[in-house]
RNA sequence: GCGCCCGUAGCUCAGCUGGAUAGAGCGUCGGUCUCCGGAACCGAAGGUCAGGGGUUCGAAUCCCUUCGGGCGCGCCA
């Protein structure tokens, strides 16, 4: 397990002028995040008023105020307690507000409306936070609430039968961002990709490649509907002919066809099976298997490369075939022998007893184990390898399988709650107002590779991660290409580039600066735009925590846009280099802190923080 | 048919697990600078939160229901 946050961030440069890390160690304060510190204060103030009831509130009812007129933070504690205390909420609010002692964090407290407690932070506290940001540098925003719990994040796991499409891209971006967030919040994270290389689909892939090889020799040869029709199959066929001369030789001789081609659906599937058998007879079992295996490996190589270029890496690629050959599945079935039963020649797992819809087959009548069996074994293995939490990021079409895997885990003595599944909805692609179908078989789909090349990694990742996973996502390709310059990601990145540019200009003018200079004059940061910006900066830690806990990367993406907004607003209203020396130093500190927070936040999304654009 | 998810501005989406007058980007309209990068800033218009009921101090958020969309329901993976 590696610290990806560090990887992501250590490469980033600091804006302190000479490129070396700035802050002395002693300035790194182990203080809680701003919001957490506030809720602690509030809880203390709550005790004398509400006694035992106070503990029932989450964060003491504290939340960010939506409207600036209602303070920086607001608490609804009084209203939530009114029922239990049988007292009017406004009265309770008054008492709590009075009890919020003159702590240095708090600038002003007011009660309002039906019983809200509105809190304004003290400018001094916000200014002190700037020093902390610069001191903690790349670590600002991270915390240790994870308590080193081990989380195994499994994501993408697309079948190696074709290139990744834009739907997989969403899984990749969301899964990777979640992993980064979990690392930043003190979890130990493993990233895994499960490779379905054991089933029928590889035979279909092999068949598809083989038939294209035949077609290369004889243009009149047919190609069935149930096989993979994508263009990448043609490339694989070309390569296969070079790699396996005996197969190429066989392709020249051609292959007989079983019978007339049935048109659609299940019949097409059955026909493909018949074709697979014919191909096996023509080529021999071994050669036919080689074609499928090789093609699968090549496709997987492509997927690996694709993801790497997308900024997504995995600690482990778990092959399903390996689970089978290593006997892990058999071992797992043995453990389940007490509960499984035979019916119609197959071995069944009584999933219904464990809350699933119905019982499931684990070993077919012909003796082969099912996908479900390997899936139980895989997830059980994850637990045995020491993972506390199994976090699966899956396409929404997998929701039916959550229940059975949980059932399997439970039957094996593992807590079903250790499996946590994040279902990510499909991506609907539109081009020219028309919906683009996305099926690997039909061959008509937009690849992640194309998307990357056309809109760029940063824009694509930011776009994916800006939407809640459970939300259906419409991806208009024309719009994505045409408006890529209007993408919010550039707005955020531009803020970062402006900071870099500012410091370059500073050097060009021969102005010196150190964070200590800034700290000395930080008290001058009183402009409303400065308060807004400092407040936004101080919210990174609570935002990261919230995004991680809720498994909701979009929270961070939206935060960054609002932070960039605060930055641009400030930058347009407050001169930095042209300000008088004291104020200039204070503002340079603010700019440096802004660059740091932007960089940290973007890093957690896997988006670059450029110094110029 | 049964089950899961979704429906918020013209478009794409947020909305901190029940809080105050529902927000942002794009698009539209109108402004800002002898400006440290205008990929910026400031402002305006635009909403029966799909419809209807309920729960309570308070609902886009929770419950029921209708409508609309997506996805599942294999001895496929």
């Amino acid at each position: 397990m590696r610290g990806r946050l560090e990887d992501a961030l250590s490469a980033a440069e600091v804006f302190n002028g000479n490129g070396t890390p700035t802050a002395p160690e002693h300035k790194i304060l182990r203080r809680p995040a701003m919001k957490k510190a506030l809720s602690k204060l509030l809880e203390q103030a709550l005790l004398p008023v509400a006694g035992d009831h106070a503990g029932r509130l989450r964060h003491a009812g504290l939340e960010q105020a939506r409207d600036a007129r209602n303070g920086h933070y607001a608490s609804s504690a009084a209203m939530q307690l009114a029922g239990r205390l049988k007292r009017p909420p406004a009265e309770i609010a008054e008492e709590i507000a009075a009890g919020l002692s003159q702590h240095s964090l708090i600038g002003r407290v007011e009660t309002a409306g039906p019983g809200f407690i509105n809190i304004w932070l003290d400018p001094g506290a916000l200014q002190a936070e700037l020093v902390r940001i610069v001191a903690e540098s790349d670590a600002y925003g991270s915390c240790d609430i994870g308590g080193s719990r081990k989380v195994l994040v499994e994501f993408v796991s697309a079948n190696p039968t074709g290139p990744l499409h834009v739907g997989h891209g969403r899984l990749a971006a969301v899964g990777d961002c979640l992993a980064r967030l979990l690392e930043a919040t003190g979890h130990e994270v493993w990233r895994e990709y499960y490779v379905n290389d054991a089933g029928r689909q590889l035979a279909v892939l092999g068949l598809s490649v083989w038939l294209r090889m035949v077609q290369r020799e004889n243009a009149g040869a047919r190609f069935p509907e149930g096989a993979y029709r994508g263009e990448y199959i043609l490339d694989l066929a070309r390569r296969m002919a070079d790699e396996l001369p005996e197969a190429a030789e066989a392709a020249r001789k051609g292959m007989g066809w079983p019978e007339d081609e049935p048109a659609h659906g299940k019949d097409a599937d059955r026909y493909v099976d018949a074709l697979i058998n014919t191909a096996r007879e023509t080529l021999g079992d071994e050669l036919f298997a080689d074609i499928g295996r090789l093609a699968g490996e090549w496709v997987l190589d492509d997927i690996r490369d694709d993801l790497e270029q997308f900024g997504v890496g995995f600690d482990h690629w778990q092959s399903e075939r390996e689970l089978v050959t290593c006997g892990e599945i058999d071992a797992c079935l043995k453990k389940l022998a007490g509960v499984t039963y035979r019916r119609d020649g197959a071995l069944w797992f009584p999933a219904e007893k464990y809350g699933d819809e119905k019982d499931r087959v684990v070993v077919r009548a012909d003796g082969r184990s099912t996908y479900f069996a390997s899936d139980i074994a895989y997830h059980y293995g994850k637990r045995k390898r020491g993972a506390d939490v199994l976090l699966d990021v899956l396409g929404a079409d997998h929701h039916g399988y959550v229940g059975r895997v949980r059932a399997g885990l439970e039957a094996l003595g593992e807590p079903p709650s250790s499996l946590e599944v994040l279902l990510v909805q499909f991506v609907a692609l539109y081009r020219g107002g028309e919906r683009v179908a996305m099926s690997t078989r039909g061959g008509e789909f937009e690849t992640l590779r194309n998307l990357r090349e056309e809109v760029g990694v940063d824009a694509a990742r930011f776009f994916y991660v800006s939407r809640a996973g459970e939300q259906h996502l419409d991806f208009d390709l024309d719009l994505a290409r045409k408006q890529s310059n209007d993408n919010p990601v550039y707005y955020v990145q531009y803020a970062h580039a402006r900071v870099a540019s500012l410091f370059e200009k500073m050097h060009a003018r021969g102005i010196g600066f150190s964070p200590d200079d800034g700290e000395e004059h930080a008290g001058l940061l009183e402009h409303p735009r400065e308060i807004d910006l400092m407040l936004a900066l101080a919210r990174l830690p609570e935002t990261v925590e919230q995004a991680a806990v809720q498994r909701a990367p979009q929270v961070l993406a939206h935060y960054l846009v609002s932070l960039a907004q605060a930055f641009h607003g400030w930058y347009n209203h407050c001169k930095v280099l042209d300000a008088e020396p004291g104020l200039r130093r204070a503002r340079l500190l603010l700019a440096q802190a802004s660059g740091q927070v932007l960089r940290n936040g973007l890093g957690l999304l896997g988006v670059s923080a450029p110094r110029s654009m």
Side-chain angles (χ1 to χ4, degrees):
Chain A
M1 305 199 190
R2 308 189 297 131
R4 280 208 194 243
L5 177 62
E6 285 171 30
D7 284 358
L9 298 177
S10 59
E13 297 173 62
V14 281
F15 296 130
N16 64 346
N18 54 14
T20 56
T22 47
E25 277 298 312
H26 72 268
K27 284 200 179 157
I28 298 186
L29 312 170
R30 279 277 153 230
R31 268 190 291 146
M34 198 64 91
K35 186 180 178 185
K36 197 159 274 181
L38 256 190
S39 66
K40 282 236 170 68
L41 284 181
L42 198 54
E43 274 163 20
Q44 281 166 22
L46 235 43
L47 272 180
V49 185
D52 293 342
H53 298 305
R56 310 182 74 100
L57 302 182
R58 215 167 15 87
H59 309 310
L62 192 72
E63 59 186 50
Q64 294 181 12
R66 292 182 192 215
D67 192 319
R69 278 167 295 187
N70 297 329
H72 298 152
Y73 292 86
S75 171
S76 57
M79 287 174 294
Q80 293 184 52
L81 290 166
R84 295 182 184 283
L85 299 179
K86 300 194 173 101
R87 292 177 52 199
E91 197 179 300
I92 302 171
E94 280 300 337
E95 269 179 52
I96 298 171
L100 271 176
S101 58
Q102 295 300 321
H103 193 277
S104 60
L105 214 54
I106 294 173
R108 187 154 58 96
V109 182
E110 286 178 4
T111 60
F116 289 102
I117 303 162
N118 297 334
I119 300 167
W120 282 260
L121 293 170
D122 184 72
L126 290 170
Q127 290 150 5
E129 191 74 2
L130 297 181
V131 178
R132 179 186 173 186
I133 291 167
V134 172
E136 295 191 6
S137 183
D138 292 350
Y140 185 72
S142 40
C143 63
D144 54 9
I145 54 163
S148 296
R149 271 159 62 85
K150 296 180 178 67
V151 184
L152 196 154
V153 186
E154 183 205 329
F155 60 115
V156 188
S157 296
N159 295 338
T161 53
L164 298 178
H165 55 62
V166 294
H168 298 129
R170 187 179 190 184
L171 294 174
V174 169
D176 184 59
C177 183
L178 273 178
R180 288 170 196 252
L181 283 166
L182 289 168
E183 278 162 349
T185 47
H187 300 83
E188 274 187 51
V189 176
W190 266 332
R191 292 150 213 249
E192 291 200 6
Y193 186 119
Y194 184 59
V195 185
N196 296 122
D197 53 6
R200 185 183 105 101
Q201 56 197 350
L202 269 196
V204 178
L205 177 67
L207 174 75
S208 308
V209 172
W210 159 246
L211 291 178
R212 289 299 190 201
M213 288 171 75
V214 172
Q215 226 168 22
R216 275 160 53 85
E217 301 296 338
N218 173 8
R222 285 174 294 175
F223 198 83
E225 187 163 315
Y228 299 124
R229 314 185 66 92
E231 253 179 66
Y232 64 96
I233 298 288
L234 300 175
D235 297 331
L236 292 174
R238 212 168 299 134
R239 196 171 156 193
M240 196 67 70
D242 292 339
E243 185 78 16
L244 297 177
E246 10 172 5
E249 178 59 32
R252 273 188 281 280
K253 290 181 190 149
M255 185 181 89
W257 285 61
E259 60 210 63
D260 281 344
E261 181 174 348
H264 305 287
K266 290 241 163 172
D267 287 343
D269 269 1
R270 219 170 295 143
Y271 189 68
V272 165
D273 284 338
L275 274 172
I276 288 174
N277 283 332
T278 310
R280 272 212 180 93
E281 283 161 20
T282 310
L283 292 163
D285 283 350
E286 205 172 312
L287 188 54
F288 180 76
D290 279 349
I291 294 177
R293 189 179 42 74
L294 266 184
E297 279 172 20
W298 293 342
V299 169
L300 197 60
D301 285 342
D302 172 73
I303 288 174
R304 212 180 255 127
D305 175 72
D306 201 3
L307 287 171
E308 198 174 307
Q309 292 188 46
F310 197 46
V312 176
F314 291 88
D315 299 294
H316 183 54
W317 297 69
Q318 178 61 54
S319 149
E320 183 189 1
R321 200 187 315 136
E322 206 176 286
L323 287 182
V324 178
T325 55
C326 289
E328 273 201 52
I329 293 173
D330 286 342
C332 198
L333 290 174
K334 205 165 283 172
K335 263 191 95 93
L336 286 171
V339 294
T340 50
Y341 63 90
R342 293 230 159 248
R343 196 207 319 162
D344 303 330
L347 188 66
W348 293 72
F349 171 72
E352 202 174 340
K353 268 193 211 155
Y354 297 92
D356 191 20
E357 288 169 9
K358 49 176 125 176
D359 292 356
R360 314 280 175 178
V361 171
V362 283
V363 180
R364 300 181 182 92
D366 65 10
R368 286 149 53 230
S369 59
T370 60
Y371 173 82
F372 172 53
S374 13
D375 232 40
I376 301 180
Y378 176 43
H379 282 82
Y380 181 65
K382 291 179 185 178
R383 287 283 298 171
K384 291 294 115 180
R385 280 185 280 145
D388 298 310
V389 179
L390 314 181
L391 178 57
D392 286 8
V393 181
L394 301 173
D397 55 334
H398 282 69
H399 70 75
Y401 112 147
V402 178
R404 8 183 162 150
V405 177
R406 263 208 192 106
L409 281 173
E410 193 175 354
L412 286 163
E414 300 295 330
S417 61
S418 59
L419 175 64
E420 196 186 316
V421 178
L422 192 77
L423 290 174
V424 177
Q425 293 294 325
F426 279 11
V427 177
L429 265 188
Y430 291 83
R431 177 167 30 211
E434 294 282 308
R435 184 158 175 174
V436 183
M438 287 215 301
S439 90
T440 308
R441 284 205 184 177
E444 189 198 353
F445 54 85
E446 196 70 25
T447 61
L448 174 60
R449 197 173 283 280
N450 286 344
L451 180 73
R452 272 199 350 257
E453 282 160 9
E454 286 171 32
V455 311
V457 170
D458 286 341
R461 285 190 72 129
F462 197 91
F463 180 82
Y464 277 134
V465 130
S466 300
R467 274 80 173 137
E470 64 268 18
Q471 192 67 243
H472 296 273
L473 188 150
D474 286 345
F475 204 126
D476 187 326
L477 289 162
D478 301 322
L479 214 66
R481 285 164 199 163
K482 196 170 59 192
Q483 301 189 335
S484 63
N485 254 5
D486 295 319
N487 192 309
V489 72
Y490 297 109
Y491 182 75
V492 178
Q493 289 181 319
Y494 181 54
H496 185 265
R498 275 184 135 176
V499 174
S501 163
L502 179 68
F503 277 86
E504 268 162 32
K505 190 126 305 189
M506 180 190 86
H507 288 302
R509 291 200 198 170
I511 300 170
F513 169 73
S514 82
D516 286 335
D517 292 341
E519 184 179 0
E520 202 178 312
H521 297 90
L524 297 171
L525 298 173
E526 287 177 330
H527 191 284
R529 296 283 177 175
E530 286 166 341
I531 301 290
D532 285 350
L533 178 54
M534 289 190 290
L535 183 65
L537 293 171
R539 282 177 169 164
L540 177 71
E542 70 201 50
T543 305
V544 170
E545 183 177 327
Q546 187 198 336
V549 168
Q550 295 183 2
R551 318 289 194 235
Q554 80 275 8
V555 168
L556 182 57
H558 286 274
Y559 160 79
L560 284 173
V561 171
S562 72
L563 171 61
Q565 232 154 26
F567 177 83
H568 288 306
W570 167 70
Y571 199 73
N572 268 47
H573 283 86
C574 299
K575 293 285 159 237
V576 178
L577 297 180
D578 294 333
E580 58 87 18
L583 186 57
R584 181 173 68 206
R585 290 184 179 120
R587 287 182 171 169
L588 280 166
L589 175 68
L590 179 54
Q592 184 176 353
S594 301
Q596 186 70 59
V597 172
L598 286 163
R599 196 158 54 247
N600 292 6
L602 286 169
L604 287 169
L605 297 183
V607 174
S608 71
R611 294 178 62 92
S612 67
M613 318 179 43

